[in-house]
Amino acid sequence: MSIPGWITGCAGSGVAPVGGRPLWRGPRPAWIVGDIPDEGYRVVCDEAGMLRLAVVGDCYATDAQLRQGLGAVARADWRALTGWPGSYWVVADDGRRTVVLTDVAGTRPVYYTFHHRGVVWASAATPLADLTAAPIDHAALVARMVCPTVSEVTGTTTVFAGVRRLPGGHALHLDAGRIQPYEPQVPEATFHQAAEALREALVVAVERRAASAARLSADFSGGLDSTSLALLAARAGNEVFAVTRDDPTSANDDVLYARCAAAGEPRIRHVIVDESEHGLFFDRMDVAPHTDQPYTDAARWSMRHAYHRRVLDHGSDLHLTGSGGDTLLVASPSYLADLARLGRPRELLRHAVARARLRHQPVHCVLAAAITLACTSYPQALRRLAADIAQPPARWERPNASRRLHWCGSSSFAAWLTPTARDQLAQRVLAAAATTDLGGVPISTHRAWCELREFGAYQAELTAQLRATGINAHAPFLDNAVVRAAMSIPVPQRQSTTVQKPLLGAALRGLVPDFLLQRRTKGAYDGNAYNGIHRNANRLHAILDDSYLVQVGIVDQAAVRADLDRLIAGAPGRLTALETLITTELWLSRHTSRPPTRTWRTEEPAHA
């Protein structure tokens, strides 16, 4: 695998990356490796050279602000270094220690491992796996396929044994590889305050990016998130090349909303990619760029690339996406338990009726499930998760309301595990239940952070894959200031029975057309998925026949084959699980067959 560009550093390990450009030298050196351009990072130091600060990525701080950041380095105020607009890594050294920070959502990954009594870190896991000859960690792989958002179970592990990931909102101290959170998780703002903060953060995030671009492009799905960002950029005086995907295989009204939004803004150059240009799910997966970690959306690479070709032809140097908006701004259904716990019967009833209609369930069942969940502690929820994994429901049993409403659940992939793999994962969950402590953070808030940070890990691979194809993708919804504004209110306030995203609607009122803010529908692409499965049936069966996961005893091949045949025939099935399986198999095949790479060299002891 060739990683386009990454940063790395160490303390006491005696190694250096091949071809690395130093951010700085000394006892705790750091390097830039690969094709990160000179404008992609900035370094400031004090006059004595004792305080050093680097930002790498898309940071829109002024030079004066960066120099002021040296004061935060001296005070060890790490959070103060994460408040500038953009998306970036921070590396800080106060003369005694180096601290590396990922962003709040974790879209700028930091990995670390112990090597020769020292700590080595990098923004990609594969180089660290090469350094330590790390094998695949099967237990961690299973945990991430089955319950990726349950951080108590996945922990800081990666698919490589001994290589760990720094969670979003955390700092890595190179002394002994200690990690420390810098981001508080307790909601502290009113809805009005959050809306004002979100408005300012989004406007700044979009306008700073647009001002830095020579040719600006944007996803323009017709949905609230991406369309709003493109309109904000146009409103600031920028011409935006906006691309909408028209998918005739799936029933949705995205194109209608996109056309209406574009018609009201003359700076939007709107292009609709029609049926003849579409890719399908599972098309041409073998030519998709390889990613650092397994990444489920790789199955959709051809579909996405089909309309991004227009962006490449346009010569875009910065592409806006609405990625992250759903995860950040829509509450999990478990928010109903918060309404029950807080004693809001009328509000609870109104929301329960809306959910019951959506899921075609009796209202009393939804109410009972919400009340039961309100009385369920987090350790109890983890023990229930372990039981569900150990004994999943019978095939095609329709989950009842209580099963659909939970603090933490497993993906449908659990139904394909072998008995041994299922038992091992269940024991891992039980061990987590015995030690978990949320420290006073509300369960729903904790779960929202878990889901956001798992999305951040997903976004990191998506961004890397897009950049490998020439798309410089930006996701302003995942900037630190935007995330902080949205997460500053209790989870129930992010949900409404009348609009999709009440906080975003309040934040963008007057900046984005009301018809868009009040949209209640959402596009779906199941038709594309089923067409893609049917067209690629032989390839999918071939991958299953040669399955690594089957060979190592993780997956029951017969169970997967039965579900795959159902999906090929067009029947409802475990589509998400199939994406996870196929993309993981392809990633494993590429990783295990790639030639050895010389990534590291031994270096003489450094002197300050």
Side-chain angles (χ1 to χ4, degrees), residues 134-281:
I136 299 297
D137 186 335
H138 291 158
L141 181 62
V142 171
R144 292 196 171 276
M145 288 190 294
V146 176
C147 42
T149 67
V150 187
S151 61
E152 294 77 19
V153 179
T154 58
T156 58
T157 60
T158 68
V159 295
F160 302 120
V163 178
R164 299 191 169 272
R165 182 182 180 117
L166 183 67
H170 283 67
L172 169 65
H173 296 250
L174 289 197
D175 50 318
R178 180 171 58 92
I179 65 174
Q180 176 186 21
Y182 66 77
E183 187 66 22
Q185 296 192 6
V186 179
E188 55 187 15
T190 66
F191 185 88
H192 177 73
Q193 290 170 335
E196 288 295 314
L198 181 60
R199 182 188 184 95
E200 179 181 0
L202 273 177
V203 168
V204 170
V206 171
E207 290 186 354
R208 296 286 177 89
R209 285 175 166 87
S212 72
R215 283 179 173 263
L216 181 66
S217 61
D219 287 347
F220 201 71
S221 70
L224 181 52
D225 303 330
S226 65
T227 311
S228 293
L229 296 182
L231 292 174
L232 288 177
R235 184 179 180 275
N238 304 278
E239 181 176 299
V240 183
F241 183 78
V243 184
T244 300
R245 177 173 171 270
D246 181 12
D247 180 9
T249 68
S250 303
N252 62 68
D253 51 0
D254 280 354
V255 173
L256 173 63
Y257 277 90
R259 282 196 171 115
C260 290
E265 177 47 72
R267 295 184 184 91
I268 295 289
R269 181 181 166 191
H270 190 209
V271 174
I272 298 176
V273 180
D274 63 27
E275 177 182 7
S276 62
E277 300 177 75
H278 283 179
L280 297 176
F281 277 49

Side-chain angles (χ1 to χ4, degrees), residues 361 393 396-404:
Q361 295 174 335
W396 309 123
E397 175 185 332
R398 183 179 177 85
N400 58 32
S402 62
R403 279 189 176 273
R404 288 182 183 275

Side-chain angles (χ1 to χ4, degrees), residues 384-419:
R384 175 177 167 181
L385 172 61
D388 287 345
I389 291 170
Q391 189 63 49
R395 185 169 296 176
W396 309 123
E397 175 185 332
R398 183 179 177 85
N400 58 32
S402 62
R403 279 189 176 273
R404 288 182 183 275
L405 209 60
H406 48 62
W407 289 128
C408 52
S410 62
S411 76
S412 57
F413 196 95
W416 293 346
L417 296 179
T418 61

Side-chain angles (χ1 to χ4, degrees), residues 344-396:
R344 300 178 182 172
R346 292 183 179 178
E347 192 175 355
L348 172 61
L349 178 60
R350 187 171 70 254
H351 283 261
V353 168
R355 178 153 182 88
R357 287 174 177 168
L358 179 67
R359 294 294 180 178
H360 305 291
Q361 295 174 335
V363 175
H364 72 272
C365 290
V366 176
L367 286 170
I371 294 169
T372 299
L373 188 61
C375 300
T376 302
S377 69
Y378 199 52
Q380 287 173 331
L382 288 170
R383 287 193 289 272
R384 175 177 167 181
L385 172 61
D388 287 345
I389 291 170
Q391 189 63 49
R395 185 169 296 176
W396 309 123

Side-chain angles (χ1 to χ4, degrees), residues 471-597:
I471 302 290
N472 179 21
H474 287 240
F477 278 106
L478 296 173
D479 279 12
N480 290 343
V482 177
V483 169
R484 284 170 173 147
M487 299 294 280
S488 67
I489 57 174
V491 172
Q493 292 185 26
R494 294 176 217 159
Q495 196 66 28
S496 167
T497 59
T498 57
V499 294
Q500 276 192 49
K501 295 167 184 171
L503 183 61
L504 187 61
L508 298 184
R509 189 169 295 121
L511 301 180
V512 173
D514 287 344
F515 75 84
L516 187 64
L517 297 177
Q518 294 166 5
R519 182 180 176 184
R520 300 183 66 176
T521 59
K522 185 169 178 60
Y525 298 97
D526 288 355
N528 185 293
Y530 278 94
N531 283 351
I533 292 170
H534 183 77
R535 183 156 86 184
N536 294 283
N538 291 339
R539 176 66 175 131
L540 298 177
H541 268 298
I543 292 172
L544 181 57
D545 290 341
D546 194 33
S547 168
Y548 175 101
L549 298 173
V550 169
Q551 293 169 18
V552 298
I554 291 174
V555 164
D556 180 338
Q557 189 176 54
V560 178
R561 182 171 284 117
D563 281 353
L564 175 56
D565 287 340
R566 284 180 57 88
L567 288 166
I568 291 171
R574 297 183 172 93
L575 174 59
T576 302
L578 182 64
E579 284 189 90
T580 299
L581 173 71
I582 296 300
T583 53
T584 302
E585 291 285 0
L586 289 173
W587 184 91
L588 287 165
S589 175
R590 288 189 178 187
H591 175 75
T592 55
S593 63
R594 69 190 180 98
T597 56

Side-chain angles (χ1 to χ4, degrees), residues 70-149:
L70 291 172
V73 176
R75 300 190 305 272
D77 184 1
W78 313 122
R79 190 174 188 267
L81 302 174
T82 65
W84 300 308
S87 172
Y88 51 90
W89 291 276
V90 175
V91 189
D93 192 296
D94 64 1
R96 297 174 293 108
R97 59 187 168 181
T98 296
V99 178
V100 186
L101 287 79
T102 182
D103 59 309
V104 176
T107 65
R108 295 289 183 172
V110 174
Y111 302 94
Y112 62 100
T113 192
F114 297 92
H115 179 72
H116 290 177
R117 299 182 181 179
V119 178
V120 186
W121 64 270
S123 59
T126 303
L128 301 183
D130 289 342
L131 175 66
T132 59
I136 299 297
D137 186 335
H138 291 158
L141 181 62
V142 171
R144 292 196 171 276
M145 288 190 294
V146 176
C147 42
T149 67

